[in-house]
Amino acid sequence: MTAYWISTYQEITDEAKVKAYSKIARPALLAAGGTFVAAAEPAQVYEAGEQTRVVLIQFDSVEAAVAAHDSDGYQEALAALDGGAVRDMRVVPGL
């Protein structure tokens, strides 16, 4: 079953660290089988929505998304992020 990795940036505290993270994270997640569906600030928000960056990545399964997160390449990206952002990150199974 398809799964979606959803990251919402609640606060960016160091833009340089976020850029360094992104340069490492994107290739690591692509190599792990992820397909980037969206990565931007919302065009429109409703209800309790916040105007913060959202990243949506599709994987073949929850297990694939978790393995991508736990991979050495992505862990290197997290080390580069080093507190540069406060994020809400989830893996959600598709329908």
Side-chain angles (χ1 to χ4, degrees):
M1 175 184 294
T2 301
Y4 297 92
W5 166 314
I6 305 164
S7 296
T8 303
Y9 286 68
Q10 297 169 330
E11 179 183 5
I12 295 177
T13 57
D14 187 327
E15 190 67 46
K17 287 183 177 182
V18 172
K19 286 182 183 181
Y21 157 85
S22 295
K23 286 182 182 180
I24 301 167
R26 186 175 183 88
L29 295 171
L30 289 170
T35 300
F36 281 76
V37 177
E41 289 193 11
Q44 179 67 47
V45 295
Y46 295 100
E47 299 181 29
E50 296 178 8
Q51 194 67 36
T52 57
R53 182 174 175 81
V54 176
V55 178
L56 176 62
I57 309 167
Q58 181 178 335
F59 286 89
D60 288 341
S61 66
V62 168
E63 294 79 14
V66 170
H69 179 275
D70 296 345
S71 70
D72 291 342
Y74 188 71
Q75 292 304 304
E76 181 183 343
L78 287 178
L81 183 59
D82 186 37
V86 176
R87 305 180 307 154
D88 174 357
M89 189 269 180
R90 305 161 187 240
V91 174
V92 180
L95 299 177

